[in-house]
Amino acid sequence: MDFLAFQGSYWPLILIIFVASLFIQGYLSRTYGKWGQVRNSRNLTGAELARMMLDENGLSHVPVNMVPGKLSDHYDPIRKTVNLSEANYRLPSVAALAVAAHEVGHAIQDKVRMPALVLRGRLAMPLSLGMNLAPLLLLAGIFLQLTGLLWVGVILFAGALLFHLVTLPVEFDASRRALAYMGQRGIVSGQEAGGARTVLTAAALTYVAGFAMALAQLLNVLGIARSQSD
């Protein structure tokens, strides 16, 4: 049994991506913190903008809810609700507008049945269960010298990479819709438009980092599986 397989060449890459992810999270926190303190010139809260954008896109039946937590904002495709964290729901900041419009962008994607969003929704549940099992299968395959279990684990890690890959166009498109709507309606312009774009770009980088981490993990477990198969 080759325990040195755990010391595969991709661990340095994983470490680098992990450290980069920490920097990206810090950048997002600083960017959101900065623009979360800048009042937008229209004096609109995130909840007000979300309601306006939903109504104008034929989604008046979709409620806008306030949820606890910081940056816990999300669109729930099952319950068909836009959920905003307390700060983004209540405050008339530039960051609140950017985040709220982004989440409504997901609601619009759901309405038009964007293929990538539909695929992500179908992958979410089985891949969530699979990723809980993948590390266990990997360890069992190594200790029991069962290469079949190792390769099942590799397939599950590949599924996680697919989920992250599909997520990228979904998130980028939601931000594009958000910025286009706010620009066309004159809700943000000049410095405020730049601030909204900066917030959404920082958030997008976290998804890019997630994809990079999933890729590095897949390469590492693939190396382990090949080593044990030799």
Side-chain angles (χ1 to χ4, degrees), residues 2 8 27 34 53 88 109 122 154 166 175 196 207:
D2 186 7
Y27 174 62
K34 173 184 176 180
M53 190 173 173
N88 291 330
Q109 291 171 342
R122 290 174 178 172
V154 169
V166 172
S175 291
Y207 294 102

Side-chain angles (χ1 to χ4, degrees), residues 32-100:
Y32 175 78
K34 173 184 176 180
W35 291 101
Q37 296 176 3
V38 177
R39 180 180 291 268
N40 63 75
S41 57
R42 294 286 295 273
N43 203 38
L44 287 171
T45 66
E48 290 170 337
L49 175 66
R51 183 74 274 151
M52 180 192 308
M53 190 173 173
L54 286 166
D55 292 346
E56 290 185 12
N57 283 277
L59 294 167
S60 56
H61 60 285
V62 175
V64 181
N65 300 326
M66 184 172 67
V67 294
K70 180 180 179 181
L71 289 177
S72 52
D73 314 81
H74 64 282
Y75 171 69
D76 187 333
I78 304 300
R79 296 181 174 84
K80 310 295 184 186
T81 59
V82 170
N83 304 287
L84 302 178
S85 57
E86 184 174 359
N88 291 330
Y89 187 97
R90 295 182 180 277
L91 299 180
S93 69
V94 172
L97 295 186
V99 173

Side-chain angles (χ1 to χ4, degrees), residues 144-218:
L144 300 176
Q145 299 186 36
L146 297 175
T147 56
L149 287 181
L150 279 173
W151 286 106
V152 172
V154 169
I155 291 172
L156 293 177
F157 272 97
L161 178 64
L162 175 62
F163 181 82
H164 283 283
L165 179 62
V166 172
T167 292
L168 291 178
V170 172
E171 297 300 329
F172 292 156
D173 180 74
S175 291
R176 179 190 62 79
R177 292 174 187 273
L179 292 170
Y181 175 83
M182 291 189 292
Q184 291 166 2
R185 298 297 188 280
I187 294 170
V188 293
S189 60
Q191 189 176 27
E192 290 183 5
R197 184 179 299 278
T198 301
V199 170
L200 293 179
T201 299
L205 287 175
T206 64
Y207 294 102
V208 174
F211 171 77
M213 178 64 77
L215 176 59
Q217 289 176 332
L218 173 60

Side-chain angles (χ1 to χ4, degrees), residues 8-20 212-213 215-217 219-220:
S9 60
Y10 294 106
W11 276 110
L13 178 60
I14 292 176
L15 180 59
I16 291 171
I17 294 173
F18 176 73
V19 173
M213 178 64 77
L215 176 59
Q217 289 176 332
L219 291 173
N220 194 60

